[in-house]
Amino acid sequence: MNEPALRVATICTGNICRSPMAEVMLKHLIADDQSLTGRVDVTSAGIANWHVGNEMDPRARGALDRAGYSRRGTPGAYASSEYLNGQDFVTVMTREHLHEVRRRLSNPEVKVILWRHLIDPQNDLDVADPYYGGDDDFDQCLAMLRSGSERLTTMLRSRLDERSSGA
């Protein structure tokens, strides 16, 4: 019997910095977790269509490489209503992204999460955009993404357990 699969999207503005870094990092974490491997598909997209088809910013790739995350991310994509409605979880980097994703969604089953809520659920804080910064800003952004990833993978395991048990 095939295990149920979950689709997870990480969303930022242009899909060349924060969301592809989160995507690659999550792919590594999922590959290292037998309860998630082969059961969770992670992609990324942007709320703007500026960089569709482009690879991630080289500084983002550099931050991932320095941290030991060698997997490839998907080419830049646009977070259309169709794309978003096909996800199980959508993680967003800012309150603006949260508002825009909710505006585009019509599938009430999709769980939308502000990334910083994974770290501090009491505060509506954004993950800062490193685009106008240097390597240190990209490294700090990746560290912020990493800090919420354990809670997210725990949520994914719980959802898979619910689906497997028929709950």
Side-chain angles (χ1 to χ4, degrees):
M1 178 170 119
N2 288 339
E3 293 286 350
L6 290 177
R7 292 168 309 281
V8 178
T10 62
I11 306 296
C12 70
T13 305
N15 193 217
I16 58 170
C17 297
R18 293 168 287 183
S19 58
M21 286 195 301
E23 174 193 357
V24 168
M25 182 197 57
L26 284 170
K27 285 180 175 181
H28 271 271
L29 294 173
I30 288 165
D32 290 342
D33 185 329
Q34 288 184 337
S35 66
L36 298 175
T37 302
R39 300 175 72 194
V40 179
D41 181 44
V42 182
T43 59
S44 64
I47 61 167
N49 62 0
W50 305 328
H51 303 290
V52 172
N54 294 348
E55 295 298 319
M56 75 177 78
D57 186 293
R59 297 167 298 169
R61 181 73 259 166
L64 289 165
D65 290 342
R66 286 188 295 279
Y69 298 116
S70 59
R71 291 184 186 277
R72 304 289 309 158
T74 54
Y78 176 63
S80 66
S81 293
E82 181 180 359
Y83 171 83
L84 294 167
N85 283 311
Q87 305 300 318
D88 295 292
F89 286 85
V90 174
T91 61
V92 298
M93 302 299 154
T94 69
R95 289 161 288 172
E96 177 187 351
H97 302 147
L98 183 67
H99 172 75
E100 185 58 27
V101 164
R102 285 184 174 155
R103 188 184 70 74
R104 294 178 191 182
L105 268 174
S106 60
N107 180 351
E109 300 298 314
V110 177
K111 182 163 180 64
V112 183
I113 305 164
L114 182 64
W115 193 275
R116 291 282 300 260
H117 277 177
L118 295 167
I119 302 159
D120 182 5
Q122 304 305 314
N123 291 304
D124 290 338
L125 301 173
D126 296 341
V127 174
D129 189 350
Y131 184 78
Y132 294 103
D135 286 349
D136 286 346
D137 297 291
F138 281 84
D139 291 340
Q140 289 172 10
C141 180
L142 184 60
M144 174 72 60
L145 296 170
R146 189 181 309 124
S147 66
S149 62
E150 188 159 317
R151 182 148 184 244
L152 180 57
T153 55
T154 297
M155 292 170 72
L156 297 173
R157 275 192 230 67
S158 293
R159 176 69 67 90
L160 286 167
D161 289 345
E162 288 171 12
R163 285 188 174 181
S164 293
S165 68

